[in-house]
């Protein structure tokens, strides 16, 4: 998501843009859906196939962001050939992302001026990954990729709260820290991306190569899932019908990302990359995806404020007053009285409108970056 500056590779930006559009669907569901505050959309006892899919498909986003961040670090290293300069850039960028996560992003998520809940998720994980990569980037890419594969394989057996596993920690009577994206497994995915970096250089591998690799990962993940209990802490089981059995099979663990989660999501990402690399989609769609993918941090921050602002306005239109809104932990401003919220149809409508509204702002910001490459905003947003 937080791409370093380099000569753009169109298909990388387009893949990033695609998953950013999908990401906005998940956050719209979090904020708007009638069951988001009380039900798990992946709970097979209460979900519907559409609700399950609406949540599950967005699992693709974070690992793709982090993987492509690793790829971008390699491409930047290959371009500038200056380890000290890249180390400085990664350290500054990483610290900046962590700071943004704990301030601007958290406020956009909660709209809570007291910061009673402090959520550490994908921006913070990328930031800590950049900090680590500042000191690891001179190690051979293949060795780092093998290290990443080993880490993601054994992480479910490592229990270091906030480093390798999700943690909810009280910081006092009124404040809670939630580390939803523990740094170690997400660093592992970044290492895999860095190790794959040489294959993303222009002219190195064609679309068919990425498609084959994606299919190999998916086929291997399916076999591992079907015939062993290894690779994910959540088993699967035969359900009351074939659809629910299929959902049980693909319900793999994201918090923290398991081996099977990583295999499935990166396999899908590589298949999508192969499609985009062939440039077979209509050019307006390619341009749309590329715009979003070339200004990822800008898009990420303003999409929270846009969608969350739309929620509050909608609640006021529905007749709720300010004193009825709950801005506490995981309240998002939704009224304390349950049930409330909106149907999946409304969620999809708000999502589509939000993505379209973001487009002109992203176009203008991309133009600003191109015209002012040395400005603070261009470098750090």
């Amino acid at each position: 998501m937080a791409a370093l500056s380099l000569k753009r590779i169109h298909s990388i930006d387009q893949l990033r843009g695609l998953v950013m559009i999908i990401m906005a669907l998940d956050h719209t569901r979090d904020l708007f859906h009638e069951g988001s505050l009380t039900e798990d959309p992946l709970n097979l006892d209460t979900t519907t196939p559409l609700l399950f899919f609406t949540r599950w498909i967005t699992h693709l986003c974070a690992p793709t962001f982090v993987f492509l961040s690793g790829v971008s670090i390699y491409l930047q290293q290959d371009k500038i050939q200056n380890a000290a300069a890249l180390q400085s850039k990664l350290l500054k960028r990483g610290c900046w992302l962590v700071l943004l996560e704990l301030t601007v992003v958290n406020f956009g998520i909660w709209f809570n001026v007291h910061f009673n809940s402090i959520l550490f998720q994908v921006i913070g994980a990328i930031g800590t990954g950049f900090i680590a990569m500042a000191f690891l980037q001179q190690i051979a890419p293949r060795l780092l990729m093998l290290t990443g594969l080993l880490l993601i394989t054994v992480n479910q057996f490592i229990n270091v709260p906030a480093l390798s596993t999700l943690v909810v920690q009280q910081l006092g009577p009124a404040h809670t820290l939630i580390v939803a994206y523990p740094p170690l497994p997400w660093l592992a995915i970044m290492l895999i991306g860095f190790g794959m970096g040489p294959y993303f250089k222009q002219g190195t591998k064609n679309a068919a190569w990425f498609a084959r690799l994606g299919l190999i990962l998916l086929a291997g993940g399916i076999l591992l899932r079907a015939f062993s209990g290894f690779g994910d802490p959540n088993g699967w089981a035969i359900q009351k019908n074939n659809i629910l059995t299929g959902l049980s099979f693909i319900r793999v663990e994201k918090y923290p990302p398991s081996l099977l989660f990583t295999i499935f999501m990166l396999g899908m990402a590589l298949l999508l990359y192969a499609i985009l690399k062939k440039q077979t989609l209509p050019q307006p769609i390619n341009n749309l995806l590329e715009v979003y993918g070339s200004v990822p941090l800008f898009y990420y921050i303003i999409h929270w404020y846009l969608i969350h602002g739309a929620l509050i306005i909608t609640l006021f239109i529905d007749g709720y007053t300010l004193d009825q809104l709950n801005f506490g932990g995981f309240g998002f401003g939704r009224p304390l009285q349950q049930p409330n919220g909106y149907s999946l149809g409304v969620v999809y409508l708000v999502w589509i409108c939000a993505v379209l509204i973001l487009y002109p702002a992203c176009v203008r910001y991309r133009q600003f970056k191109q015209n002012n490459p040395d400005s603070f905003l261009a470098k750090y947003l």
Side-chain angles (χ1 to χ4, degrees):
M1 174 178 297
L4 298 173
S5 60
L6 66 157
K7 185 177 180 181
R8 315 301 302 195
I9 296 177
H10 300 300
S11 46
I12 289 179
D13 278 340
Q14 289 160 6
L15 176 58
R16 189 184 290 111
L18 175 61
V19 294
M20 291 179 70
I21 291 172
I22 297 171
M23 172 199 68
L25 172 60
D26 189 42
H27 298 157
T28 307
R29 181 197 57 79
D30 276 333
L31 294 173
F32 274 84
H33 188 240
E34 56 195 349
S36 65
L37 302 185
T38 57
E39 299 175 5
D40 178 4
L42 301 182
N43 184 343
L44 298 181
D45 294 327
T46 59
T47 194
T48 65
L50 179 57
L51 177 58
F52 183 100
F53 177 79
T54 301
R55 171 58 177 143
W56 182 85
I57 192 60
T58 65
H59 281 350
L60 178 65
C61 305
T64 304
F65 294 150
V66 176
F67 175 82
L68 291 180
S69 294
V71 172
S72 295
I73 293 171
Y74 173 83
L75 295 175
Q76 182 77 1
Q77 180 196 62
D78 186 65
K79 175 188 175 184
I80 66 175
Q81 297 289 314
N82 186 324
L86 181 57
Q87 181 181 70
S88 175
K89 181 176 290 189
L90 288 169
L91 285 173
K92 291 176 183 177
R93 184 71 168 175
C95 291
W96 174 245
L97 290 177
V98 173
L99 177 63
L100 281 180
E101 177 79 285
L102 300 178
T103 54
V104 176
V105 174
N106 262 259
F107 185 76
I109 294 171
W110 306 121
F111 276 13
N112 183 326
V113 295
H114 302 291
F115 288 84
N116 297 111
S117 296
I118 302 171
L119 182 61
F120 185 94
Q121 50 175 4
V122 66
I123 297 297
I126 293 175
T128 55
F130 278 3
I131 293 169
M133 286 302 299
F135 302 99
L136 298 174
Q137 39 106 2
Q138 294 189 70
I139 299 175
R142 287 187 180 180
L143 180 56
L144 287 184
M145 180 166 61
L146 290 174
T147 302
L149 291 170
L150 177 62
L151 280 176
I152 205 69
T153 301
V154 304
N155 187 71
Q156 70 182 80
F157 305 109
I158 303 173
N159 185 19
V160 183
L163 182 61
S164 66
T165 61
L166 182 149
V167 68
V168 179
Q169 178 65 50
Q170 288 297 129
L171 301 179
H175 293 86
T176 305
L177 172 65
I178 305 142
V179 181
Y181 283 63
L184 190 61
W186 293 100
L187 172 62
I189 295 174
M190 187 176 289
L191 293 176
I192 295 169
F194 183 84
M196 286 285 294
Y199 305 110
F200 282 81
K201 292 170 63 175
Q202 294 281 26
T204 303
K205 297 293 182 182
N206 60 22
W209 186 88
F210 286 101
R212 285 194 297 270
L213 180 57
L215 289 172
I216 289 170
L217 285 175
L218 290 175
I222 290 170
L223 290 173
L224 185 64
R225 182 69 161 163
F227 298 109
S228 81
F230 183 75
D232 193 89
N234 301 322
W236 68 281
I238 301 296
Q239 305 293 316
K240 59 186 178 183
N241 60 53
N242 290 337
I243 292 176
L244 289 177
T245 299
L247 299 185
S248 174
F249 189 87
I250 64 174
R251 187 182 60 174
V252 286
E253 184 58 52
K254 180 183 178 182
Y255 301 105
S258 68
L259 174 63
L260 275 171
F261 172 91
T262 306
I263 289 173
F264 284 147
M265 297 307 145
L266 292 188
M268 291 170 58
L270 290 170
L271 279 177
L272 290 170
Y273 181 76
I275 294 170
L276 293 167
K277 190 173 176 63
K278 286 182 70 68
Q279 295 290 294
T280 56
L281 296 179
Q283 195 57 41
I285 295 177
N286 285 334
N287 291 339
L288 177 80
L289 299 179
E290 191 167 343
V291 165
Y292 291 137
S294 60
V295 291
L297 185 57
F298 176 81
Y299 174 103
Y300 183 85
I301 290 175
I302 65 171
H303 99 282
W304 272 115
Y305 284 82
L306 174 63
I307 296 170
H308 207 163
L311 169 67
I312 303 305
I313 292 171
T314 304
L315 291 171
F316 285 150
I317 292 173
D318 278 351
Y320 292 103
T321 60
L322 184 60
D323 59 352
Q324 291 178 294
L325 304 187
N326 172 29
F327 291 99
F330 291 94
F332 303 120
R334 296 265 293 273
L336 287 169
Q337 297 83 2
Q338 293 292 332
N340 61 68
Y342 307 92
S343 69
L344 266 184
V346 173
V347 169
Y348 274 85
L349 178 61
V350 173
W351 167 58
I352 292 170
C353 290
V355 169
L356 293 176
I357 290 170
L358 286 167
Y359 182 72
C362 290
V363 168
R364 290 194 180 107
Y365 180 67
R366 185 171 74 158
Q367 291 172 343
F368 171 81
K369 286 187 69 172
Q370 292 170 345
N371 295 332
N372 304 275
D374 295 324
S375 73
F376 178 85
L377 284 178
K379 289 182 176 179
Y380 290 100
L381 186 60

